[in-house]
Every structure is written in C-alpha cells, then in structure tokens.
Amino acid sequence: MNSSRFAGFLLVLPALTVIGVMFIYPLSYSFVDAFIVPAKDGGAAQFSLQNFATALSLYGDDILFTIVIVGISACLIALGSILIGGYLTLGENRFFVRVLAALYRWPLFIPFIVAAQCMRTFLAKNGLMNGVLVEAGILTPLQTIGFLDWRGIIITFVWKQLPFVTLLVAGAMAALDRSTIDAGRDVGAGRLRILFQIIVPQIMPTLIVALVLSIVIMMSVLSVPVMISGHSPTMITVEMAFRVNSYNDYGTANALGVISYCITGAIAWVYLRRGVKQGGKPV
Amino acid sequence: MASLLSVQNVSASYGRQRVLDGVSLELPESGFLALLGRSGCGKTTLLRVIGGFIAPAHGRVLIDGQDMTSLPPEKRPTAMVFQSYALWPHMTVHGNLAYGLRLRGMGKAEITRRIDEILALLQLDNLADRNVTALSGGQRQRVALGRALAVAPRLLLLDEPLSNLDARIRLDLRHEIRSLLKRLGITAVHVTHDREEAMVMADQLALMNDGQIVQFGAPAALYDHPANSFVADFMGASNVITVDLAVSGGMAMIGGDDACPRREIADATLVRAASQGARRLDIRFRSVSARLSECGDAKTPAAAAAVAPGANAGLHLNGTIEQVTYPGDVYRHAVNIGGRSVLIDDAKRFEEGCKVSVFMPFGAFHLFPRIDEQSRAA
C-alpha cells in the first residue's frame, strides 16, 4: 500500500514540480508583491493598497476598455460560431458546407502575433481592405478610415478565436441526436428557429466552456493590442508591460495583474460551476 | 374510398445505391398501414420520403390529393414519431408538446387546454412539468406520440416507435396505440421489422424487400396466401423443403424420393408452372403446421393416411429427428428431411434418431414452383 502510494507520488512529482515552480511560485510572488510598497527612506517594505489605487486611478479606463473589448469579442465569437456551426449542421448545399468546414479552421494555426501583423496591413487607412473598397468603387480615397483602434483589436480577436470556439461548437452540434432536429422541422419549425430554439440550447454547455477558455486567452494576449492599438485607452496587458519596461514599477503591474486575474477568475467560476452542475466534469 | 395518402412510383437513392425502386401504394382515411421488412429493405426511407425528409429521385407523394413531393417536412400535414423518440432534452413534457402548437400561433390558454387533453389521453397526467430526461422509456414514447398528435396531423408516421422498449411494455403499447389511433380516427403509417407487431397494429401490410413492395394487403391475406417464397418465409413459414415437380395427365406430380413420396395434386397453378418449365417446388410451412408420428404408428393420422393413400387430406414427408428442445408448451424438433433440416413443434416428444412421418394438412403449407438451374437443365 505504502510503496504504491510512493510510486504514485513519484509519478505525480514532475508535473507537481513544474506547476509549483513555473506557476504557483511566480503567481504567489506577484500576488503578494501587488500588496507591498517599498519604503521611501530605505526602511522595511510595508503592506499597502497603494498599488491598486495607482492602477485604478491611472488605468481605470483601460480596465473598462479591456472588459468591453473582450465582452464584445466574446459576443461576436458566440454568434459567429453558432452561425457557422449551424450552417455546417443544417446547410443543404453540400459543396458550400464542405468548403466552409475546410476553411473556418485555418486561423487556428496562425499565432496571435502573425494575425496582428496581418491585420495591421489589412485594416490600416491605406491597407488592403480599404484598397479593395476603393478599387471596387464603394469608397473614395478620402472616405477611407483606418480600423487600427478598438475595432481592429475586436476584429483580430474574433478572427483568431472564432475557429477555436466554432471547432467545439460544431463538434457538439454534430454529436446531437439528428432526429431532434428532424422532429423540430416535422412540427413546423424553420431552420433559424431550429438553430436557436432546438440546437443552441442543447449545446449551450459546450458554447459557454469554449467562450470561457477563449476569454481567458484574449485577456492574456499582449501582441494584438500592442500592434493594433497601443495608445490609450488600451488593454491591461499593454499597461502592465509599460509599467515594467518604462518605470520598473512591478508593484502597479502586479496590481493590474491581480485585477486581470480577478476578471478571468470570475469567468472561470462560471466554468467550474457549470462543471459541478454536470456532475463534476468540466468539459 | 378516396385515398388520403398516395405514393406513386417513388424511387430514391443514397448516392449510387438505389434504396426505393418504383414504390406505389394507396392508404384511405383512418387506415393504418404497416411497412414491414428486414433491415435495409427501404421501409424507413419510404417513411422519410412521405414525411419530406428525403427527396425522391422519381415519383410523387400526394396527401389529400395534393402533391407534396417538393415540400419540406415543416410544410407537410404529417407528424412523425421517431425511433429514438427525439424529445428535446432542454424542455419539459409541456414544452415538448407545446412547441408545435406555438409555431401555429395558438393562444396560451388554448395550448394548455389541448396539452391537458393529450396528457389525459396518454395517461401522462401530472407529468407536464417533468423534464423529459427524467421519464422512463415508455413515458418518453408516449410523450413523443403526444407531440405528434398535438399538432393534429392528417397523417401520422411511426418509425419503429416501440423498438427501444422492453418486450413487456412493447406488447402493451401495441394494443394501446392501435386502439388510441382507431378511437381518434387517425391515419397512420407504421414502420417495423416485427411481423407480429405489424399484424396486431395495422389494417394493411406492405411487405418490402430490396426497395420494392413484394406484397400489399390485409395481415391475414399475407399470412394465409403469401405471394411468393420470400413473403411466406417472412410471415413465419420459414421451413422449406425442395422437391421435384412434373406434370402428368393434367395433374401436378410432386416428390418421388424417400423423403417425399411421389403424389398427384390437382392444382392449376402448379400444372401451369410445370408446363412452363418449373421442375422444382419449394414447400414452405410453419413449425406449428406439421404433425409428427413415428413410422409404422398406425394410430396417428399421418400413418393412417399413409396406409390409405386415397385419403388426400394433406402432404406426407419422411424424416429423422436430429435434435429436441423444449421452449415451453410443445417440444421443438429439428427434423432432417431429404438432407434439409426443418423445425417442427409437437406436443409429444420424439427421441433423437427416431424415424418419423411428417403430415401437413392442405392449407397449412405453401407451394412455390421455381425455375432454377436444375429445372432448366431438366
């Protein structure tokens, strides 16, 4: 009994060590550091909420901006994944269904930084998108505007995260008992009704889990807001990097990190609660 | 009587595989038709063509004289009960029943009244607020039936609705569903591979094989007068003995070996078939249709008939008992007759190795002449 316990412990040890050294220690260190202010005259550092006060007074707008950006992106991703998954499930033109099924996954394999760079050239005032619109005669050169601001960040996040959420959502839709869809049509429901009243309620747990994971990823991405729109207001990650690089101010950066963690923690709580409801098995 | 459902020369394919091949049938108002056949015979495909879930490659589907062929399921006056019930798990019993009614723009009070009626009819009172995932198989099946009945369809389509239930519940529900549909005057098409279920529930059977209807008629007609060897086999006459067939002096002569002693039969169909070149004859019969007697036992009818050849009461075959089992009520004997093994039930037990005479009265067996390679060679 004891030897098998010891063997089990040995098996777990490497993973536990990695989590402890790479995650728990730095997280705890940063968390504690967020609540500590060094004394000005060389005395002992002391516990304080000063870092949070600084973070909220200087970057309150950025925190709000982050929540709004991530919130709008999540809504658009949810809608997009439902529509794409719905077409893959209910579409009757087999050619378009196959083309869409093959195409929608591509952005999954592109790193955020490459996606951001692509968007810079695509969304700029003289970028590819406006070029096409001008060439097509839809806009004149004077009417063009750049999208390299909050809209660009949202577009990039949606473009990059939509395939991930759609992958899970479309998989869940494909796994549904097809006859529940037929039964909806049979009693008189059209395709849109079936999608939103029969299919989506059944795959809601998967959609929520996919969105939670996606939100956590968007909250932690630095490259996209830096490359698309680095000026204020911007996302929390950009300001954290700024505090560290320009002022060597780890205290305020850590306070921003804790705030960011609280936001994702609240989202993760939704995820875990969902898992408890399903018998302790988060998907 | 005018047909409520008319299927006219319908063909359908999955890719290159032809699943329905020129199927036609008519069903009058309040009729109950069972599409019967083995897995893959096309019966579910035909039901889905009628429901609008599969577009036929050729042919038409008419309901009340109106062409429905190009209409999607949501535009047809049909409702289907699915094999897996297909209840919506995120809704209560009430939600499942009310969905179709809400789509028809019915008021809330009217919906509640209608659902209460349906629940009472199906003995599901007090379950309206229960989630469908918390119901037993039998209750789910009733809710599925109720959901289809709630929208008052002109034609009810039942896709093997009893196949997922326990044997006992299935037996009860057969009778319940039939009496309910008859009481309401509902016209229904029922798909099943269970012969007994089809015979108990339906007024008309359409027995299908390889995408075609091989015989259409009342259950008793198919049971007593199968059109061919396949129908006889499906309807339970699975014992088959093949004997020689010839014609002599306007009479059909069958048999001519130890297993089946030669005898004359005055049957115009056999005479015609033999005249057209059929040299072999399939004798098909059910396990319960034959009687056994030990060879030389003069007290049995078979032996008595053998002793007095003039008594043309039926057909005599000779065989050997290979195996005896007891499934209940009667003994089931595997009897070797001329190299073919058949099953025969008898109240008396005959020991393995015993030579027996097998007697079948006329009407208890079916004769199917066939023109095969051996016939052609002859």
Side-chain angles (χ1 to χ4, degrees):
Chain A
M1 185 70 184
N2 280 341
S3 65
S4 73
R5 270 191 185 176
F6 183 68
F9 179 72
L10 276 182
L11 279 173
V12 174
L13 193 61
L16 209 60
T17 310
V18 169
I19 289 175
V21 173
M22 308 287 285
F23 182 68
I24 302 213
Y25 172 71
L27 179 73
S28 309
Y29 185 86
S30 301
F31 189 81
V32 171
D33 201 40
F35 293 91
I36 290 185
V37 184
K40 282 176 185 164
D41 49 3
Q46 48 187 290
F47 178 81
S48 166
L49 291 175
Q50 181 58 46
N51 290 328
F52 286 91
T54 308
L56 287 172
S57 66
L58 291 179
Y59 305 116
D61 287 350
D62 298 299
I63 293 167
L64 198 63
F65 181 82
T66 301
I67 293 171
V68 170
I69 290 283
V70 170
I72 293 174
S73 301
C75 290
L76 293 175
I77 290 167
L79 187 67
S81 65
I82 288 169
L83 292 177
I84 294 175
Y87 188 76
L88 294 179
T89 310
L90 298 172
E92 288 197 335
N93 188 317
R94 292 174 68 182
F95 173 75
F96 286 123
V97 167
R98 251 182 275 158
V99 168
L100 184 62
L103 282 182
Y104 86 86
R105 295 163 214 225
W106 285 15
L108 262 183
F109 304 100
I110 296 171
F112 269 107
I113 195 159
V114 178
Q117 178 58 24
C118 291
M119 284 299 169
R120 276 178 67 86
T121 55
F122 183 71
L123 298 173
K125 184 166 166 57
N126 296 317
L128 182 62
M129 182 180 75
N130 284 332
V132 171
L133 291 174
V134 169
E135 281 298 316
I138 296 169
L139 293 178
T140 64
L142 284 177
Q143 288 172 315
T144 56
I145 46 168
F147 273 58
L148 295 178
D149 49 20
W150 61 276
R151 291 168 295 192
I153 298 176
I154 289 175
I155 290 170
T156 313
F157 276 160
V158 171
W159 187 77
K160 183 70 185 74
Q161 289 302 100
L162 184 58
F164 168 70
V165 176
T166 305
L167 195 69
L168 298 183
V169 164
M173 287 181 180
L176 282 183
D177 178 2
R178 183 85 204 174
S179 58
T180 61
I181 296 169
D182 288 344
R185 295 186 71 189
D186 198 47
V187 296
R191 273 160 218 279
L192 216 54
R193 266 184 201 283
I194 286 175
L195 180 58
F196 286 100
Q197 294 177 347
I198 304 286
I199 296 178
V200 170
Q202 290 190 70
I203 57 102
M204 198 50 107
T206 307
L207 177 63
I208 288 180
V209 167
L211 284 177
V212 167
L213 297 176
S214 194
I215 286 170
V216 171
I217 291 170
M218 288 190 285
M219 288 290 296
S220 60
V221 170
L222 172 65
S223 54
V224 172
V226 163
M227 292 176 73
I228 303 274
S229 169
H231 52 78
S232 188
T234 187
M235 294 188 70
I236 296 176
T237 46
V238 178
E239 302 299 9
M240 284 169 73
F242 176 68
R243 289 312 294 185
V244 171
N245 293 334
S246 302
Y247 294 99
N248 205 26
D249 178 7
Y250 282 91
T252 307
N254 282 333
L256 283 169
V258 170
I259 291 167
S260 174
Y261 191 73
C262 287
I263 297 168
T264 50
I267 305 286
W269 178 73
V270 174
Y271 166 67
L272 288 175
R273 217 170 135 243
R274 192 104 220 161
V276 170
K277 267 190 190 170
Q278 290 170 2
K281 291 183 203 158
V283 183
Chain B
M1 193 186 292
S3 294
L4 184 140
L5 170 69
S6 176
V7 175
Q8 299 176 351
N9 198 28
V10 161
S11 298
S13 305
Y14 291 130
R16 285 184 183 172
Q17 191 186 352
R18 175 63 62 95
V19 186
L20 288 178
D21 190 6
V23 172
S24 298
L25 59 83
E26 305 281 331
L27 182 64
E29 177 114 36
S30 302
F32 195 150
L33 167 70
L35 301 176
L36 181 63
R38 298 199 173 108
S39 298
C41 72
K43 55 191 189 299
T44 298
T45 305
L46 177 56
L47 191 80
R48 292 178 73 80
V49 166
I50 295 170
F53 295 102
I54 295 174
H58 302 287
R60 300 196 308 161
V61 174
L62 284 79
I63 296 175
D64 285 327
Q66 296 201 315
D67 193 346
M68 298 280 153
T69 317
S70 57
L71 292 183
E74 57 266 33
K75 300 264 170 64
R76 297 193 184 199
T78 56
M80 190 182 279
V81 178
F82 293 82
Q83 186 174 5
S84 63
Y85 316 134
L87 298 176
W88 302 306
H90 56 289
M91 295 183 194
T92 60
V93 171
H94 184 279
N96 270 274
L97 296 180
Y99 189 71
L101 301 177
R102 274 204 293 269
L103 293 182
R104 282 158 178 75
M106 203 180 266
K108 209 170 179 177
E110 175 74 4
I111 288 176
T112 306
R113 190 187 59 74
R114 183 73 169 274
I115 289 175
D116 286 345
E117 271 176 23
I118 296 276
L119 291 176
L121 201 64
L122 295 167
Q123 298 159 25
L124 289 169
D125 315 65
N126 306 323
L127 291 181
D129 297 325
R130 182 89 59 95
N131 199 299
V132 290
T133 52
L135 299 177
S136 69
Q139 288 169 332
R140 286 181 198 199
Q141 202 281 337
R142 284 166 209 254
V143 175
L145 182 61
R147 182 176 65 185
L149 291 177
V151 296
R154 285 291 288 150
L155 181 63
L156 182 68
L157 307 173
L158 303 156
D159 184 9
E160 306 209 31
L162 305 180
S163 61
N164 287 346
L165 296 173
D166 293 342
R168 179 61 208 273
I169 300 171
R170 197 158 63 219
L171 293 182
D172 292 343
L173 273 175
R174 279 177 189 172
H175 296 280
E176 272 184 41
I177 291 176
R178 176 174 167 86
S179 61
L180 180 69
L181 297 187
K182 285 292 159 194
R183 202 161 74 235
L184 298 174
I186 301 261
T187 313
V189 180
H190 177 208
V191 160
T192 180
H193 59 268
D194 185 329
R195 169 175 61 86
E196 196 179 308
E197 182 180 303
M199 292 184 71
V200 167
M201 293 178 75
D203 309 321
Q204 299 281 314
L205 302 187
L207 180 57
M208 297 186 66
N209 188 34
D210 280 343
Q212 294 180 322
I213 294 176
V214 283
Q215 192 170 356
F216 186 96
L222 268 72
Y223 193 82
D224 295 332
H225 306 288
N228 56 37
S229 200
F230 173 83
V231 178
D233 185 16
F234 200 94
M235 299 307 282
S238 48
N239 287 322
V240 58
I241 299 291
T242 305
V243 298
D244 291 334
L245 172 66
V247 62
S248 170
M251 298 284 274
M253 308 294 292
I254 69 166
D257 53 22
D258 290 345
C260 179
R262 186 179 179 83
R263 65 161 301 162
E264 295 178 340
I265 293 183
D267 185 316
T269 313
L270 286 187
V271 171
R272 193 166 54 248
S275 312
Q276 290 169 355
R279 295 289 174 267
R280 304 284 284 168
L281 178 73
D282 284 345
I283 303 170
R284 282 197 168 272
F285 59 97
R286 298 183 176 85
S287 309
V288 295
S289 304
R291 289 287 164 268
L292 295 175
S293 60
E294 279 187 55
C295 289
D297 187 351
K299 290 175 187 167
T300 62
V307 170
N312 273 346
L315 190 65
H316 309 282
L317 303 168
N318 298 314
T320 309
I321 304 289
E322 287 182 325
Q323 191 185 53
V324 190
T325 54
Y326 185 67
D329 295 330
V330 289
Y331 290 93
R332 182 154 294 163
H333 304 84
V335 184
N336 187 318
I337 301 176
R340 296 287 288 267
S341 191
V342 297
L343 295 175
I344 296 173
D345 292 345
D346 203 294
K348 187 183 164 191
R349 179 189 169 100
F350 292 82
E351 293 306 320
E352 289 172 16
C354 178
K355 302 275 185 201
V356 289
S357 176
V358 179
F359 172 72
M360 290 178 285
F362 282 121
F365 57 91
H366 310 290
L367 300 175
F368 300 104
R370 59 183 162 107
I371 302 175
D372 56 13
E373 291 305 316
Q374 203 172 338
S375 301
R376 285 197 189 95

